[in-house]
C-alpha cells in the first residue's frame, strides 16, 4: 500500500504560527511495502516536519543574538567540523549531531544563551582529487557538497544558528587563518626546514602519510620514497609540557587524554656519547655516536648500537664491504611510513654497518647496526640496545645472534634469559674499575641517577628530557588549501611576510590541478600569481606555492563562530570572554590526537598573545560511538562445495564465503546457525558503514519512510551515546510506533476517512494525584538523563509515561502540555505540532523546561506481606497509612491470596501498618452425606 497525504486548506499564519492543515490519509494499493504504509499511517510526519522546518527557518527561531545578554548563563555546544563529501550523510553521522541538538534545546529551555553553530571544513585532498579526475573546479564541487549536507541536516530539524555558518574555503574566513600564521611567524613558531617527505615519482607529487599503503601510493599503486624537501614547520614541541599539564584540567575521556600523552611521549633519560672506533681499534677523532635512552641504569648491558636509516652520520659509518648491502636496505626503508616501521612491523629487520663503537662504561667494543625500527626523528636517531631488558632489542638480538647481558634482576626472584625483563630490580654485572663506575647492589632507579652524574662528571653525556612529539609539518604540495601569506625575494631567497592589511591572499583560478611532475606544487603553474613584487623594497619576488594542510582551518573555527562576520578582528574580545571555552564538544574518537592537539596548540599561542582569555579551547569532550551497518551473515564452503561450520577450523581463509540472508538464519544460544542446517554455525558481524561494503543507510530514505523524529529518536534509543551500535531497521519501527502512540494519545484516533482532528483530546480536568506522580517521575528522570547524556534511558522513561497515560480515563491538558515539553528536545517536529494543537501560539523552543516537584516524587506506597495462618502467601501494594479494613479488601481481591481466604471463617486479623497483615482463617469442614 502507498500512502498519499493530501492537505486542506493550505497552511496559513496565525499570530506568527503556521496553521495546521487538516491531514487526510488515503490508501491505494500499487505494490508499495505494507511497512512503509503502516509507518506513514502512524502519524502525518511527512506534512508536519517540512512545515515546522520552514517555520524555524523563516522565524530564525534558533538564531543566537549578536549582542551578548550577560545576565544569562551561556552554553556553547559544538559538533566537530564535518567535511562535506559528495556522498552526503549516512545514518552514522547524525548520531553526534542529534545528541548536541538535544542538549542545545534543553539548555535553551533552561534559560541559557545557547551557541550551537555549524560550518564546513572544506579544503583538502578529496575535492582536489575529484577536480583532477573530472576537471571540475574544487570551488564548484565544494559548494555543491555543502548544499547537499546542509539540506540533509535541515531535514533532521537540528537547531543550528545558520546565520553563523562558515566555510574554511571562504576568503573572509581564511584571511584570519593566514593572520594566525603570521603571528606564529612573529613568535618564531613557524620556520622552514629540510624534512623527509613521501615522494612519488610516477605521480610527480608529495603524498601525505595516509596516502601511502605498504610503500606504494594509494592511488595507482606506484612506488613511494622518502626524500628530503624544504617544508614549512610549526614548533608545537615548544608547547609540549603545557599540552601535557593542562590535560589534567579538562573533562575529557581518560582514553583520549592517554592518547595525547602517548603522542607527546614525554620521557626523562640521558644522552650518552659512544666513541666510534676505527679499523685499528682506536677512537676516531671527533666522531662519536650520541644515543638517547630512558634506561641509563642499563648502560653495562648495551651490547650493540642501532642507528636509523636516515641518520646523518650513517654514510661515514658504512664500511666498504657493507656499503652495497646497507644502501639497498636504506632504499627499502625509505619506502615505509613511520607507522609501518614501528607499530605495524612485527618482524625486526636490520643490517650491520661495518663499524663499531666503544661502550663508555665497560670499554668494550660493540657493533653499530642499521634498522628501520629506529626513527631519525625521535631522540637522536640512534639507540643503545640492551636486549636483556627491552623486548624489541631482545627480538632483534635473538634474530641476529647478538650478545645478551643481564644487568637487572628482580628483587625477590630469579631472572632467566628466555625473554626481556623490563621491570624494576637490583643491579648486577654493572661494575668496571677502569671507568670507575660501580652500580652493583643498587636499585635500578638509584643506578640511573648515579649513571647520569657519572656521565656529566666525565663529559660523556648528560640528563635529557625527550618527546616523541615532532614539530608539525605544515605544508602540502596541493592547490586546494590556504595560500601562505609570504613571498621570497628573487636572488637572495629571503622570506618576506605579507602585511596584515594585504590579507587575504586568495587562491588563483586554475584550470589544471594535476601535479607538475617536478615536485613543485600545482600552484607553480599560476605564473602570473607566483611572480610578484615586494611592496617595501620593490624587488621581484615569488610567492610560496605550497598550501596549508586541511588541519589549518579546523584549528580555530570554534572562535570564529563566536563572531563570524567581524571584518576587523579574528574575534571580538568581549564575545570571546563570554562564549569561551566551548562547553561541550562532540565528535569521533578518530580526531583524538591530531585535530585536538593542533587546536590546543594554536589556542595556547593565541592565549599567549592576548587574543583569547582561556588556556584551553574545549572544556568537555564527548566521543560518540560508531553506528555499524546491519549484521551480515556469512557461511563457509570447502573446495568441494560442502558447508563448513565456523568453529570447525581456526583458519577459514582457504574456504569460500557466501552471504546468507537473515531469513535463513536463527540464533541458538550465543551462536547463529542455518535454519535448514542447524549443525552449521555461521559468522554474524556488523561492519563500519562504507560504500565499498554496500551497507550504507541513507538518512534521506529513512526520513522519507519514518520521519526525522523517528530517526533522531532511534539513534538515541539504540544504546549509550559513547558506545558503538548496530543499525537495525526493525529497531526504528519500534520507536516510530511509540511516536504514533503518543500522537493518538494526544490527538485521538483517526476518523474513519483517515483524517485527524484539528485539536487534541486533552481535557481541562484537574490531574489526579496518581497522574501527577507519574508525570513528575518522568520529569525527574528525563532531566537527569539529558544532563548525563543517557538519552536512551530518557526515552525509556517517556515510553513508560505513555504506557501509564493510556490507562487513564482522561488526559488532563496540564499534564499533557508538560509531557510535550519533555518530548521536544528529542522529537521537536511532533512536539511543536502538539504544542500548537494544545492552543499555544508561540514556539516551545524557549518555554521553561519542566521542573520535578519533590512532593510528587516521594514514595507513598509500601509492599505489605500478607500471611494466612502465620505463613506468608503473597504481598499487596498499599498506600502509606492504609487502614486495616482497606488492606484486607485489597488482599481479598488479590488473585493469588483470595483462594486462601474464600470459603473460610475469618477468626482474627493482625495488622501492623506498613509491616504485615496476618489473617487467621478456619476452613469450613464439608459435611458427609
Amino acid at each position: 500500500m502507498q500512502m498519499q497525504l493530501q492537505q486542506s486548506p493550505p497552511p496559513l499564519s496565525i499570530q506568527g504560527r503556521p496553521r495546521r492543515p487538516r491531514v487526510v490519509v488515503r490508501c491505494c494499493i500499487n505494490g508499495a511495502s505494507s511497512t512503509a504504509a503502516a509507518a506513514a499511517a502512524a502519524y502525518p510526519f511527512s506534512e508536519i516536519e517540512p512545515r515546522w522546518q520552514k517555520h524555524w527557518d523563516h522565524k530564525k527561531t534558533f538564531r543566537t543574538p549578536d549582542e551578548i545578554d550577560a545576565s544569562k548563563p551561556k552554553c556553547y555546544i559544538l559538533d566537530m567540523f564535518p567535511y562535506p563529501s559528495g556522498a552526503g550523510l549516512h545514518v552514522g553521522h547524525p548520531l553526534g549531531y542529534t545528541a548536541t541538538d538535544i542538549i542545545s534545546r534543553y539548555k535553551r529551555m533552561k534559560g541559557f544563551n545557547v551557541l550551537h553553530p555549524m560550518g564546513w571544513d572544506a579544503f583538502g585532498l578529496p575535492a582536489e582529487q575529484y577536480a583532477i579526475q573530472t576537471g571540475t573546479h574544487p570551488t564548484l564541487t565544494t559548494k555543491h557538497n555543502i548544499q547537499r549536507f546542509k539540506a540533509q541536516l535541515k531535514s533532521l530539524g537540528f537547531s543550528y544558528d545558520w546565520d553563523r555558518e562558515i566555510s574554511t574555503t571562504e576568503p573572509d574566513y581564511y584571511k584570519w587563518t593566514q593572520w594566525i600564521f603570521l603571528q606564529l611567524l612573529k613568535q618564531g613558531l613557524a620556520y622552514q626546514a629540510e624534512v623527509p617527505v613521501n615522494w612519488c615519482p610516477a605521480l610527480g607529487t608529495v603524498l601525505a602519510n595516509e596516502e601511502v599503503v605498504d610503500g606504494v601510493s594509494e592511488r595507482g599503486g606506484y612506488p613511494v620514497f622518502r626524500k628530503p624537501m624544504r617544508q614549512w614547520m610549526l614548533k608545537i614541541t615548544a608547547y609540549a609540557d603545557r599540552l601535557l599539564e593542562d590535560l589534567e584540567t579538562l573533562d575529557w575521556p581518560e582514553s583520549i587524554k592517554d592518547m595525547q600523552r602517548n603522542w607527546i611521549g614525554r620521557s626523562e633519560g640521558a644522552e650518552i656519547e659512544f666513541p666510534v672506533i676505527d679499523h685499528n681499534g682506536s677512537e676516531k677523532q671527533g666522531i662519536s655516536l650520541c644515543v638517547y635512552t630512558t634506561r641509563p641504569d642499563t648502560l653495562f648491558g648495551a651490547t650493540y648500537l642501532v642507528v636509523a636509516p636516515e641518520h646523518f652520520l650513517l654514510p661515514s659509518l658504512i664500511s666498504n664491504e657493507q656499503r652495497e648491502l646497507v644502501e639497498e636496505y636504506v632504499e627499502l626503508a625509505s619506502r615505509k611510513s613511520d607507522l609501518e616501521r614501528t607499530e605495524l612491523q612485527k618482524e625486526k629487520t636490520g643490517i650491520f654497518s661495518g663499524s663499531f663503537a666503544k661502550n663508555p662504561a665497560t670499554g668494550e667494543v660493540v657493533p653499530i647496526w642499521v634498522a628501520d625500527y629506529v626513527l631519525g626523528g625521535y631522540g637522536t636517531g640512534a639507540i643503545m640496545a640492551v636486549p636483556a631488558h627491552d623486548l624489541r632489542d631482545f627480538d632483534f638480538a635473538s634474530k641476529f645472534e647478538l650478545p645478551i647481558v643481564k644487568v637487572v634482576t628482580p628483587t625477590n626472584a630469579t631472572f632467566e634469559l628466555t625473554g626481556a625483563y623490563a621491570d624494576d630490580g637490583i643491579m648486577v654485572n654493572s661494575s668496571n674499575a677502569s671507568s670507575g663506575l660501580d652500580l652493583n647492589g643498587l636499585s635500578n632507579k638509584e643506578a640511573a641517577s648515579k649513571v647520569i652524574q657519572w656521565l656529566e662528571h666525565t663529559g660523556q653525556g648528560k640528563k635529557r628530557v625527550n618527546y616523541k612529539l615532532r614539530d608539525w609539518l605544515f605544508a602540502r604540495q596541493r592547490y586546494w588549501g590556504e595560500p601562505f601569506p609570504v613571498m621570497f625575494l628573487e636572488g637572495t631567497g629571503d622570506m618576506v611576510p605579507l602585511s596584515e592589511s594585504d590579507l587575504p591572499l586568495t587562491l588563483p583560478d586554475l584550470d589544471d590541478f594535476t601535479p607538475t611532475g617536478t615536485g613543485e606544487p600545482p600552484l607553480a603553474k599560476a605564473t602570473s600569481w607566483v611572480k610578484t613584487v615586494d611592496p617595501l623594497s620593490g624587488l621581484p619576488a615569488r610567492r610560496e606555492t605550497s598550501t596549508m594542510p586541511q588541519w589549518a582551518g579546523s584549528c580555530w573555527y570554534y572562535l570564529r563562530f563566536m563572531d563570524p562576520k567581524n571584518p576587523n578582528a579574528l574575534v571580538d574580545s568581549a564575545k570571546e570572554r563570554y562564549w569561551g571555552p566551548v562547553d561541550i564538544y562532540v565528535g569521533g574518537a578518530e580526531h583524538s590526537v591530531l585535530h585536538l592537539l593542533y587546536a590546543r596548540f594554536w589556542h595556547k599561542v593565541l592565549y599567549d598573545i592576548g587574543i583569547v582569555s582561556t588556556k584551553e579551547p574545549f572544556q568537555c569532550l564527548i566521543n560518540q560511538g560508531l553506528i555499524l551497518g546491519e549484521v551480515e551473515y556469512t557461511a563457509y564452503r570447502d573446495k568441494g562445495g560442502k558447508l563448513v561450520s565456523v568453529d570447525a577450523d581456526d583458519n577459514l581463509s582457504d574456504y569460500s564465503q557466501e552471504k546468507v540472508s537473515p531469513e535463513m538464519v536463527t540464533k541458538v544460544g550465543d551462536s547463529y546457525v542455518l535454519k535448514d542446517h542447524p549443525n552449521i554455525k555461521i559468522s554474524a558481524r556488523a561492519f563500519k558503514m562504507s560504500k565499498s561494503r554496500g551497507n550504507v543507510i541513507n538518512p534521506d530514505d529513512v526520513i522519507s519512510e519514518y520521519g526525522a523524529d523517528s530517526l533522531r529518536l532511534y539513534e538515541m534509543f539504540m544504546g549509550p551515546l559513547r558506545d558503538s551500535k548496530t543499525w537495525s531497521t526493525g529497531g526504528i519501527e519500534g520507536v516510530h510506533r511509540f511516536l504514533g502512540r503518543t500522537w493518538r494519545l494526544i490527538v485521538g484516533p483517526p476518523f474513519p476517512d483517515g483524517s485527524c482532528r484539528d485539536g487534541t483530546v486533552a481535557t481541562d480536568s484537574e490531574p489526579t494525584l496518581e497522574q501527577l506522580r507519574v508525570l513528575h517521575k518522568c520529569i525527574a528522570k528525563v532531566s537527569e538523563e539529558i544532563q548525563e547524556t543517557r538519552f536512551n534511558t530518557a526515552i525509556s522513561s517517556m515510553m513508560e509515561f505513555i504506557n501509564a497515560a493510556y490507562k487513564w480515563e482522561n488526559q488532563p491538558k496540564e499534564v499533557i502540555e508538560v509531557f510535550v515539553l519533555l518530548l521536544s528536545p528529542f522529537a521537536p517536529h511532533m512536539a511543536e505540532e502538539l504544542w500548537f494543537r494544545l492552543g499555544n501560539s508561540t514556539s516551545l523552543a524557549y518555554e521553561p523546561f519542566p521542573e520535578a516537584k519533590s512532593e510528587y516524587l516521594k514514595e507513598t506506597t509500601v509492599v505489605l506481606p500478607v500471611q494466612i495462618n502465620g505463613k506468608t502467601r503473597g504481598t499487596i501494594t498499599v498506600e502509606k497509612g492504609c487502614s486495616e479494613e482497606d488492606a484486607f479488601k485489597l488482599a481479598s481481591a488479590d488473585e493469588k491470596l483470595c483462594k486462601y481466604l474464600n470459603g473460610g471463617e475469618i477468626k482474627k486479623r493482625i495488622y501492623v501498618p506498613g509491616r504485615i497483615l496476618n489473617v487467621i482463617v478456619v476452613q469450613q469442614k464439608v459435611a458427609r452425606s
Side-chain angles (χ1 to χ4, degrees):
M1 297 181 65
Q2 182 178 0
M3 312 309 297
Q4 295 180 339
L5 298 176
Q6 299 178 352
Q7 59 184 31
S8 177
L12 301 174
S13 177
I14 300 178
Q15 299 180 3
R17 302 282 289 174
R19 171 179 286 167
R20 183 199 64 78
R22 187 179 185 193
V23 179
V24 181
V25 183
R26 303 195 186 278
C27 304
C28 65
I29 300 174
N30 67 349
S33 75
S34 59
T35 301
Y43 67 97
F45 61 84
S46 60
E47 293 294 330
I48 292 171
E49 293 180 349
R51 187 169 67 250
W52 282 103
Q53 289 161 16
K54 289 177 184 176
H55 176 79
W56 295 328
D57 259 359
H58 177 68
K59 296 294 182 180
K60 295 188 181 295
T61 304
F62 307 112
R63 189 177 188 279
T64 305
D66 293 326
E67 298 304 316
I68 296 169
D69 180 4
S71 66
K72 296 173 68 176
K74 67 93 179 180
C75 190
Y76 185 177
I77 303 167
L78 188 61
D79 298 292
M80 287 191 183
F81 231 16
Y83 180 84
S85 72
L89 299 174
H90 63 62
V91 293
H93 292 115
L95 180 65
Y97 303 152
T98 305
T100 57
D101 193 60
I102 290 170
I103 300 169
S104 297
R105 290 175 178 274
Y106 172 76
K107 288 291 186 179
R108 287 190 196 96
M109 297 172 78
K110 294 294 284 186
F112 284 75
N113 282 330
V114 173
L115 181 56
H116 187 40
M118 175 52 73
W120 317 102
D121 183 18
F123 273 131
L125 182 62
E128 183 158 337
Q129 285 183 319
Y130 187 77
I132 292 170
Q133 293 164 7
T134 65
T136 308
H137 197 282
T139 301
L140 300 176
T141 306
T142 299
K143 286 182 178 178
H144 175 270
N145 293 346
I146 286 175
Q147 289 171 358
R148 168 115 171 93
F149 259 61
K150 187 174 179 178
Q152 287 185 298
L153 291 176
K154 283 192 169 186
S155 73
L156 281 154
F158 296 136
S159 59
Y160 293 122
D161 178 0
W162 287 108
D163 283 2
R164 292 178 182 256
E165 179 185 8
I166 57 178
S167 168
T168 57
T169 63
E170 295 298 326
D172 286 348
Y173 180 83
Y174 69 70
K175 164 186 177 178
W176 296 105
T177 308
Q178 293 171 334
W179 182 88
I180 295 173
F181 177 80
L182 292 178
Q183 310 316 305
L184 292 162
L185 206 57
K186 290 177 185 177
Q187 300 299 313
L189 296 170
Y191 65 97
Q192 285 192 302
E194 291 278 338
V195 295
V197 296
N198 301 312
W199 170 248
C200 180
L203 296 176
T205 186
V206 170
L207 301 177
N209 282 337
E210 57 269 24
E211 299 170 80
V212 182
V213 180
D214 296 329
V216 298
S217 62
E218 186 178 38
R219 180 163 56 91
Y222 301 111
V224 177
F225 304 91
R226 300 277 280 179
K227 69 178 249 182
M229 287 185 69
R230 193 159 183 79
Q231 299 283 296
W232 280 103
M233 308 290 292
L234 298 187
K235 200 176 291 183
I236 189 174
T237 50
Y239 283 74
D241 282 329
R242 288 168 63 182
L243 289 168
L244 272 176
E245 292 162 6
D246 292 343
L247 276 174
E248 305 306 318
T249 67
L250 301 178
D251 180 14
W252 286 19
E254 200 59 35
S255 60
I256 303 299
K257 291 184 181 181
D258 282 341
M259 287 180 189
Q260 293 214 354
R261 292 184 187 110
N262 293 335
W263 189 266
I264 295 168
R266 186 184 191 276
S267 62
E268 294 185 2
E271 283 186 353
I272 305 174
E273 300 287 345
F274 281 73
V276 177
I277 304 301
D278 62 23
H279 295 294
N280 298 320
S282 303
E283 295 183 13
K284 287 187 176 182
Q285 281 299 106
I287 300 181
S288 63
L289 199 55
C290 182
V291 307
Y292 172 76
T293 179
T294 59
R295 293 292 304 270
D297 52 301
T298 62
L299 179 56
F300 281 90
T303 58
Y304 61 99
L305 306 182
V306 184
V307 298
E310 57 269 28
H311 195 283
F312 73 99
L313 277 180
L314 182 57
S316 63
L317 297 176
I318 306 172
S319 68
N320 291 333
E321 296 82 4
Q322 291 291 103
R323 187 165 302 279
E324 184 177 345
L325 291 172
V326 173
E327 289 177 350
E328 181 182 345
Y329 182 82
V330 170
E331 182 188 354
L332 290 171
S334 72
R335 301 181 186 179
K336 298 181 182 180
S337 68
D338 290 351
L339 185 66
E340 290 171 312
R341 287 169 56 175
T342 53
E343 281 87 346
L344 300 183
Q345 184 164 296
K346 303 300 182 185
E347 184 179 354
K348 299 294 178 285
T349 65
I351 191 79
F352 176 48
S353 71
S355 292
F356 297 85
K358 183 190 290 185
N359 185 323
T362 65
E364 295 178 358
V365 173
V366 296
I368 302 172
W369 282 69
V370 187
D372 60 8
Y373 75 85
V374 177
L375 301 178
Y378 177 68
T380 64
I383 66 164
M384 68 177 203
V386 185
H389 305 291
D390 182 278
L391 180 59
R392 183 182 55 176
D393 295 342
F394 181 87
D395 291 342
F396 191 91
S398 299
K399 178 175 179 178
F400 293 105
E401 299 181 351
L402 295 166
I404 302 175
V405 176
K406 177 175 65 176
V407 293
V408 182
T409 188
T411 306
N412 298 312
T414 58
F415 165 41
E416 300 297 333
L417 278 175
T418 56
Y421 176 75
D423 294 332
D424 294 337
I426 303 300
M427 305 306 301
V428 295
N429 302 324
S430 299
S431 178
N432 184 273
S434 298
S435 64
L437 185 61
D438 183 4
L439 307 178
N440 286 338
L442 298 177
S443 71
N444 62 294
K445 292 181 179 178
E446 293 172 326
S449 297
K450 188 170 182 178
V451 169
I452 291 172
Q453 292 174 3
W454 176 81
L455 290 169
E456 292 178 339
H457 177 72
T458 60
Q460 298 179 93
K462 60 184 177 182
K463 185 176 181 178
R464 175 71 185 268
V465 175
N466 199 41
Y467 302 89
K468 288 182 181 177
L469 181 67
R470 301 294 90 202
D471 279 347
W472 178 5
L473 197 159
F474 193 72
R476 295 291 184 270
Q477 285 63 50
R478 301 290 184 195
Y479 166 72
W480 194 233
E482 298 92 336
F484 282 94
V486 298
M487 64 183 75
F488 299 91
L489 299 180
E490 294 284 3
T492 65
D494 292 343
M495 188 274 297
V496 178
L498 265 63
S499 168
E500 293 177 10
S501 61
D502 291 334
L503 300 179
L505 173 62
T506 57
L507 274 174
D509 282 333
L510 278 183
D511 296 325
D512 180 11
F513 317 103
T514 57
T516 60
T518 63
E520 286 190 290
L523 271 179
K525 298 177 182 179
T527 52
S528 61
W529 181 86
V530 173
K531 291 181 179 180
T532 186
V533 174
D534 174 24
L536 292 178
S537 66
L539 296 174
R542 286 178 57 84
R543 298 195 191 280
E544 171 64 77
T545 54
S546 292
T547 52
M548 298 184 198
Q550 186 177 351
W551 305 107
S554 64
C555 270
W556 69 281
Y557 66 95
Y558 61 93
L559 293 172
R560 194 61 177 173
F561 278 137
M562 300 175 185
D563 192 15
K565 310 299 182 187
N566 193 333
N568 303 313
L570 182 149
V571 61
D572 176 78
S573 58
K575 291 178 180 179
E576 184 280 325
R577 285 195 301 272
Y578 178 76
W579 286 115
V582 174
D583 295 289
I584 300 173
Y585 194 30
V586 177
E590 65 272 17
H591 301 293
S592 57
V593 175
L594 298 180
H595 160 60
L596 290 173
L597 200 64
Y598 294 156
R600 293 180 62 220
F601 165 47
W602 276 33
H603 192 88
K604 290 182 182 302
V605 174
L606 293 173
Y607 175 79
D608 288 349
I609 63 176
I611 303 300
V612 299
S613 59
T614 61
K615 292 183 179 180
E616 287 286 336
F618 315 118
Q619 184 56 40
C620 173
L621 175 69
I622 298 174
N623 293 133
Q624 85 271 16
L626 291 174
I627 291 185
L628 306 174
E630 294 210 53
V631 173
E632 297 179 18
Y633 301 99
T634 306
Y636 294 85
R637 293 184 184 271
D638 61 20
K639 293 179 180 178
K642 183 180 178 182
L643 286 166
V644 177
S645 189
V646 293
D647 57 355
D649 195 336
D650 292 335
N651 183 14
L652 295 170
S653 59
D654 294 333
Y655 298 94
S656 62
Q657 296 184 15
E658 183 178 307
K659 267 197 170 184
V660 180
S661 67
E663 293 77 18
M664 299 170 65
V665 176
T666 187
K667 191 173 185 182
V668 177
D670 294 330
S671 302
Y672 290 88
V673 300
L674 295 173
K675 288 181 178 177
D676 293 340
H677 303 277
N679 60 322
I680 300 294
K681 293 181 181 178
I682 61 172
S683 70
R685 182 182 171 189
F687 295 87
K688 184 177 178 180
M689 289 188 183
S690 67
K691 287 192 294 183
S692 61
R693 290 203 68 86
N695 64 348
V696 171
I697 306 292
N698 189 326
D700 297 350
D701 297 334
V702 179
I703 291 170
S704 175
E705 187 165 347
Y706 295 100
D709 283 346
S710 291
L711 177 56
R712 291 168 57 109
L713 211 64
Y714 175 56
E715 297 218 348
M716 295 297 96
F717 191 59
M718 290 170 76
L721 175 63
R722 295 164 178 81
D723 292 355
S724 291
K725 298 162 277 284
T726 302
W727 178 267
S728 169
T729 301
I732 196 170
E733 290 171 1
V735 296
H736 186 73
R737 285 194 298 272
F738 160 68
L739 288 176
R741 293 189 75 220
T742 302
W743 177 264
R744 292 190 298 276
L745 174 77
I746 299 172
V747 175
F751 297 127
D753 65 355
S755 64
C756 305
R757 70 181 70 242
D758 288 333
T760 70
V761 297
T763 67
D764 292 327
S765 60
E766 285 292 318
T768 66
L769 181 61
E770 178 59 24
Q771 288 172 334
L772 290 172
R773 285 173 180 166
V774 171
L775 174 66
H776 284 269
K777 181 181 177 182
C778 185
I779 295 171
K781 185 67 173 177
V782 171
S783 300
E784 178 185 354
E785 302 304 71
I786 290 177
Q787 293 176 71
E788 297 299 324
T789 66
R790 295 189 293 257
F791 305 116
N792 55 323
T793 48
I795 295 168
S796 294
S797 180
M798 289 187 284
M799 290 177 171
E800 291 173 6
F801 173 89
I802 292 297
N803 288 339
Y806 261 94
K807 299 175 184 176
W808 300 342
E809 292 182 359
N810 59 18
Q811 312 299 330
K813 180 180 177 183
E814 181 181 327
V815 172
I816 295 303
E817 277 195 332
V818 173
F819 176 76
V820 168
L821 294 176
L822 293 180
L823 180 67
S824 64
F826 298 84
H829 306 90
M830 177 182 281
E832 287 275 24
E833 179 72 13
L834 293 174
W835 186 252
F836 181 51
R837 284 166 170 266
L838 285 162
N840 299 287
S841 60
T842 57
S843 170
L844 52 66
Y846 295 91
E847 288 292 319
F849 198 81
E851 297 280 349
K853 294 183 179 180
S854 58
E855 60 263 35
Y856 299 120
L857 299 178
K858 296 175 183 176
E859 288 295 335
T860 60
T861 60
V862 293
V863 176
L864 188 73
V866 178
Q867 292 183 346
I868 310 296
N869 296 332
K871 188 172 183 178
T872 301
R873 296 294 186 178
T875 61
I876 55 174
T877 300
V878 300
E879 292 287 328
K880 288 182 178 178
C882 176
S883 68
E884 178 182 329
E885 189 60 35
D886 287 340
F888 180 72
K889 287 179 180 178
L890 286 170
S892 300
D894 184 87
E895 183 179 351
K896 183 178 178 181
L897 295 170
C898 67
K899 65 182 180 181
Y900 297 103
L901 296 172
N902 293 341
E905 180 186 353
I906 308 300
K907 284 290 191 180
K908 187 178 183 183
R909 295 196 305 232
I910 303 168
Y911 180 60
V912 180
R915 300 290 297 276
I916 197 169
L917 170 65
N918 187 8
V919 182
I920 308 301
V921 181
V922 178
Q923 295 296 332
Q924 299 293 328
K925 292 182 179 180
V926 179
R928 293 178 181 271
S929 56

